[in-house]
């Protein structure tokens, strides 16, 4: 994708690290695993599976809602090469959640490894293992299952208090109060209010209300969900899996199988993309069941159809926003009400729902009164779960539609309306305090916010002229511009924790052990850059070992845009501590105080210049030569943030709309972001570009569709279109000059902020083109044309 401008260096007046005089940080360093991937070296879980591993296949439900009356495996077991067929009667009946989150989990424990009920087409019924994949597939087809078919609930607008109860089973529960009412088909609920919203709305001279509906969306990572398992020499269960969170996976499996955690090891190899879809346990329990039953290694890689039909989608949401404002455009009240569809199980139900408010409402902190609330309901569709943007994209789409409608109502530039009401550096929002973005009920103060600069640069790049936002370029073809702004976060305060261990090695290099999970984002590279910068060495001197619950320190995993900020801060702490230890050890060797030792260019020198020692030579001295003083030098440090400093982004888009066909094309998308100091500018921009393309997909292309019996119709790449690079015109991404004091070398996150704006900005551009507010995503040609015809008829 095209990048037209390089990021400018951080401001020189904020701190020493922000002078731009970095040796490794803020440079476009190649990814540490890039060469190996290009050369096709084995790296992914399925590449590494033992050759003698049993192949696992899953028998899946053909019904949206049913009770299993019986399972007959006789014909399957009679097939030569079949090792076992396992059902819900072969595993502990322990309610769990598949969502890898905190402890206790904010998701209800409403799921069993296997159950006598199936709640969507594709739900797991039985596990089959055989000597080959072909035999396993044939055996799975021979398993005879008798069902009592039940009436499903497929429309989330009809789920609340429906006489059909999707989770009637005893034993399921919430871990703490989240509004869990399964008898009402409610997985979670929440409500908060600041001030008196109804009073402020009633007193507002100008009021607008919009309702938008965002659809479910598939992750479409290149690598499907994959794992293999085996029993090691010590009788421990080892699972190698494409997971975003090894420690959560270990804990959830321990609960599911009632196993002590010291008997389980989780290893994460290279991941071919996750986007939140691998923040759950999908395949790990089934390979584990086979290995524990047979004693043999077992492997499972889902097909693309299984990924579509039986893992997770984005939460479908209906978002209603009411705004009250004065005639000058100053907001008085914001009311956001949300209905969210969690599907069959409540994974990430509460947290995704809350982020729809917590990562959007603070954007407009000038409002006197703010309210947020609603329900997350069960339906008999595939579960929703974590997905890049994690609720913020849905909430922002509703909020930015309302803000644009307010601008139209007032007849003002939508950019200036936002600037007048938006968050600025040095400010805060009560929403931060109430919805968990601060420390112990204290609202987070914003120390870095360059949204003004993002907007100014974005206007310049797109050629924003509020008086000329639409023009006809050919008969029936309109060019129009729209815009939106967004904020995200950098980890979850006081919950997300990352750790790093750095060991000094003979030869003068360092081993960096991190629990952080690189899922294709380049986080191993970024963390190595942070360590190399602080230790004053080259990237080649940092060897990264990541994501192994036996051999790397604890980390919550890759989600919530946390890795650079949380895990990076742990790496920086460890590197600083280790450097101090090295200087202290050399000072002892020199017979001087640590303050009299200068370390620069991989060399230690006394202040008076009389003694010097290279890092390489010292490594052999401390490990081989110094007799009683020989020792290993290593440090482990952890970091938990007490805040979640948001990155910001201003987006401007120019579209072309064909009024004869309804087709909308993105001609130019401009995204200008504040991510603090970009540790690796190229990787940061690539993250934003990828997010933009996924957001454009949600806006214009992607739609998870079902039949009236609950069968997914969009379960292949032929029936589920995603935009390729050729489907989108010019993309321009820039990073503005920024520095976040609480982040490593001034960094904030970049992983999610790119995805949030495209649905809003494109909808606003269409509104400017034809005067119609489209509210049902995606904006396919059929939908756009139908709206144009309906408007013409009226």
């Amino acid at each position: 994708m095209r990048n037209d401008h390089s990021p400018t260096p951080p401001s020189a007046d904020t701190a020493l690290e922000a002078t731009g005089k970095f040796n490794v940080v803020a440079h476009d360093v190649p990814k540490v695993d890039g060469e190996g991937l290009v050369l096709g070296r084995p790296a992914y879980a399925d590449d590494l599976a033992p050759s003698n591993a049993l192949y696992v296949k899953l028998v899946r439900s053909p019904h949206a809602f049913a009770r299993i009356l019986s399972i007959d495996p006789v014909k399957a077991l009679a097939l030569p090469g079949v090792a076992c067929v396992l059902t819900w009667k072969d595993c502990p009946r322990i309610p769990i959640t598949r969502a890898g989150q905190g402890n206790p989990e904010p998701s209800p424990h409403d799921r069993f490894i296997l159950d006598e009920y199936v709640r969507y087409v594709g739900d797991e019924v039985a596990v089959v293992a055989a000597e080959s994949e072909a035999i396993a597939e044939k055996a799975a087809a021979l398993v005879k299952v008798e069902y009592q078919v039940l009436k499903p609930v497929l429309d989330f607008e009809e789920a609340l208090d429906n006489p059909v109860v999707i989770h009637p089973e005893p034993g399921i529960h919430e871990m703490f109060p989240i509004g869990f009412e399964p008898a009402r088909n409610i997985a979670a609920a929440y409500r908060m209010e600041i001030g008196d919203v109804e009073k402020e709305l009633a007193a507002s001279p100008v009021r607008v209300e919009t309702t938008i509906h965002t659809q479910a969306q598939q992750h479409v990572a290149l690598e499907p969900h994959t794992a293999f398992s085996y029993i090691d020499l010590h009788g421990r269960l080892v699972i190698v899996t494409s997971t975003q969170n090894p420690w959560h996976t270990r804990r959830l499996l321990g609960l599911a199988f009632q196993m002590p955690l010291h008997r389980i090891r989780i290893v994460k190899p290279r991941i071919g993309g996750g986007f939140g879809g691998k923040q759950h346990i999908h395949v790990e329990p089934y390979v584990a069941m086979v290995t524990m039953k047979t004693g043999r290694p077992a492997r499972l890689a889902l097909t693309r159809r299984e990924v579509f039909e039986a893992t997770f989608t984005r939460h479908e949401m209906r978002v209603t926003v009411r705004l009250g404002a004065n005639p000058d455009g100053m907001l008085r009240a914001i009311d956001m009400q949300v209905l969210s569809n969690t599907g069959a199980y409540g994974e990430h139900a509460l947290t995704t729902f809350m982020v729809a408010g917590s990562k959007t409402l603070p954007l407009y902190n000038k409002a006197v009164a703010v309210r947020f609330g609603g329900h997350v309901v069960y339906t008999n569709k595939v579960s929703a779960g974590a997905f890049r943007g994690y609720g913020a994209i849905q909430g922002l789409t509703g909020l930015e539609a309302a803000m644009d409608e307010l601008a139209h109502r007032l007849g003002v530039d939508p950019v200036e309306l936002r600037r007048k009401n938006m968050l600025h550096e040095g400010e805060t929002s009560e929403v931060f305090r109430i919805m968990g973005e601060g420390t112990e009920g204290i609202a987070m103060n914003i120390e870095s916010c360059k949204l003004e600069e993002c907007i100014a640069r974005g206007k310049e790049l797109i050629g924003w002229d509020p008086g000329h936002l639409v023009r006809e370029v050919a008969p029936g073809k309109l060019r129009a511009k729209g815009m939106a702004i967004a904020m995200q976060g950098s980890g979850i305060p006081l919950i997300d924790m990352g750790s790093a261990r750095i060991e000094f090695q003979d030869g003068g290099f360092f081993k960096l052990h991190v629990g952080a999970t690189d899922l294709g984002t380049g986080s191993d590279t970024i963390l190595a850059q942070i360590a190399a910068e602080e230790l004053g060495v080259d990237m080649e001197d940092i060897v990264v070992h990541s994501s192994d619950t036996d051999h790397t320190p604890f980390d919550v995993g890759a989600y919530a845009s946390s890795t650079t900020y949380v895990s990076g801060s742990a790496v920086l702490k460890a590197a600083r501590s280790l450097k101090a230890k090295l200087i202290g050890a050399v000072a002892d060797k020199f017979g001087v105080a640590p303050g009299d030792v200068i370390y620069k260019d991989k060399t230690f020198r006394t202040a008076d210049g009389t003694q010097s020692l290279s890092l390489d030579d010292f490594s052999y001295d401390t490990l081989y030569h110094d007799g009683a003083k020989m020792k290993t030098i290593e440090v482990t440090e952890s970091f938990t943030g007490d805040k979640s400093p948001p990155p910001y982004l201003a987006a401007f888009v120019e579209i072309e709309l064909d009024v004869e066909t309804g087709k909308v094309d993105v001609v130019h998308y401009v995204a200008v972001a504040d991510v603090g100091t970009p540790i690796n500018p190229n990787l940061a921009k690539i993250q934003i570009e990828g997010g933009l393309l996924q957001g454009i997909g949600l806006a214009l292309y992607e739609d998870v569709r079902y039949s009236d019996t609950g069968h997914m119709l969009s379960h292949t790449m032929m029936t589920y279109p995603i935009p390729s690079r050729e489907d989108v015109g010019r993309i321009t991404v820039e990073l503005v000059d920024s520095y976040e004091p609480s982040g490593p070398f001034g960094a904030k996150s970049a992983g999610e902020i790119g995805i949030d704006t495209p649905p809003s900005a494109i909808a606003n551009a269409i509104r400017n083109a034809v005067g119609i507010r489209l509210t049902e995503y995606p904006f396919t040609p059929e939908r756009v044309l139908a709206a144009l015809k309906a408007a013409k008829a009226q």
Side-chain angles (χ1 to χ4, degrees), residues 204 324-333 366-367 406 410 417 420-421:
S204 296
N326 292 325
D328 63 357
M330 290 301 299
L331 288 173
R332 298 184 62 160
K366 306 305 186 290
L406 180 59
L410 295 170
L417 177 67
K420 180 177 289 190
N421 288 282

Side-chain angles (χ1 to χ4, degrees), residues 315-473:
H315 287 79
E316 174 188 25
M317 290 191 190
R318 187 236 302 145
V319 182
T320 298
V321 177
R322 294 190 295 162
L323 301 179
N326 292 325
D328 63 357
M330 290 301 299
L331 288 173
R332 298 184 62 160
I334 306 175
D335 181 29
M336 181 184 290
Q337 299 299 312
V338 179
L339 181 68
S340 178
N341 181 7
T342 194
Y345 302 100
E347 288 104 345
H348 299 272
L350 175 70
T351 44
T352 303
F353 170 78
M354 289 185 65
V355 168
S358 67
K359 294 289 193 294
T360 59
L361 294 172
L363 259 178
Y364 300 115
N365 66 330
K366 306 305 186 290
V368 176
V370 179
R371 182 166 61 197
F372 174 81
H375 297 91
V376 188
V377 294
Y378 289 112
T379 61
N380 291 112
K381 291 183 176 179
V382 65
S383 286
F387 196 140
R388 189 183 208 170
Y390 201 83
I393 185 173
Q394 295 99 311
L396 185 84
T397 301
L399 182 58
E400 288 295 86
M403 286 296 290
D404 230 56
E405 285 303 309
L406 180 59
H408 283 286
R409 181 75 59 84
L410 295 170
V412 301
D413 181 358
V415 171
E416 294 309 308
L417 177 67
R418 287 168 171 81
R419 289 184 65 253
K420 180 177 289 190
N421 288 282
M422 73 188 189
L423 187 70
H424 288 83
E425 201 166 280
E427 297 180 348
T428 188
S429 167
E430 276 293 282
V431 177
F432 289 140
R433 178 181 64 83
I434 292 176
M435 299 190 75
E437 300 296 326
T439 304
E440 297 179 356
I442 300 172
M444 173 176 60
N445 185 59
I446 298 301
E447 296 183 90
S448 64
C449 176
K450 304 303 181 186
L451 198 44
E452 285 275 9
E453 290 84 343
C454 293
I455 290 173
R457 182 59 177 153
K459 287 176 62 178
E460 180 183 349
L461 289 168
I462 203 71
W464 183 265
D465 180 354
H468 300 86
L469 295 179
V470 60
R471 58 193 172 98
E472 188 174 40
V473 294

Side-chain angles (χ1 to χ4, degrees), residues 724-759:
S724 73
R725 185 60 191 88
E726 294 181 349
D727 294 314
V728 180
R730 185 180 174 196
I731 292 179
T732 301
V733 174
E734 284 195 11
L735 308 177
V736 299
D737 179 359
S738 181
Y739 181 87
E740 169 53 46
S742 67
F745 295 114
K748 296 188 285 190
S749 73
E752 293 181 276
I753 189 63
I755 199 172
D756 292 336
T757 57

Side-chain angles (χ1 to χ4, degrees), residues 81-261:
V82 173
C84 64
V85 177
L86 305 173
T87 72
W88 65 277
K89 295 182 179 181
D90 296 298
C91 53
R93 189 163 176 79
I94 305 294
I96 62 169
T97 176
R98 294 181 297 180
Q101 290 182 276
N103 182 29
E105 298 86 6
S107 299
H109 283 212
D110 59 1
R111 170 88 190 199
F112 302 91
I113 299 174
L114 294 171
D115 193 11
E116 62 178 319
Y117 283 90
V118 286
R119 294 179 175 83
Y120 62 91
V121 175
D123 208 349
E124 292 84 4
V125 173
V127 182
V128 177
E131 298 293 341
S132 73
E133 189 171 19
I135 295 172
E137 287 177 349
K138 186 175 181 180
L142 293 174
V143 175
K144 183 179 179 182
V145 186
E146 183 182 359
Y147 298 95
Q148 177 190 356
V149 180
L150 305 171
K151 181 181 178 180
V153 178
L154 298 174
D155 186 345
F156 81 131
E157 296 280 5
E158 299 175 357
L160 184 64
D161 293 323
N162 194 295
V164 175
V165 177
I166 295 171
H167 281 277
E169 69 275 23
I172 60 173
H173 58 274
E174 57 191 349
M175 299 302 288
F176 53 85
I178 63 169
F180 180 59
E181 296 183 75
R184 301 181 62 199
N185 287 333
I186 298 174
Y190 177 80
R191 184 184 185 278
M192 77 87 183
E193 185 167 6
I194 300 166
D196 189 330
V197 167
E198 291 301 331
K199 177 182 176 181
E200 292 297 328
L201 283 171
S204 296
V206 185
R207 294 184 293 273
V208 299
E209 178 176 339
T210 62
T211 297
I212 62 100
H213 173 257
T214 59
Q215 76 279 25
Q217 183 184 22
Q218 297 280 3
H219 300 81
V220 201
L222 285 176
E223 180 200 27
H225 301 266
T226 306
F228 67 87
S229 57
Y230 62 93
I231 302 296
D232 71 7
L233 175 67
H234 307 288
R236 301 169 71 232
L237 176 66
V238 180
I239 301 178
V240 180
T241 175
S242 57
T243 179
Q244 292 179 222
N245 40 17
W247 275 266
H248 288 321
T249 296
R250 183 179 67 176
R251 190 187 71 254
L252 293 175
L253 290 175
L255 173 65
F257 292 116
Q258 295 293 280
M259 290 178 65
L261 298 189

Side-chain angles (χ1 to χ4, degrees), residues 50-51 219 328 357 392 396 481 488 528 573 635 750:
S51 59
H219 300 81
D328 63 357
L396 185 84
K481 295 172 183 176
Q488 194 68 40
K573 284 179 66 178
V635 165

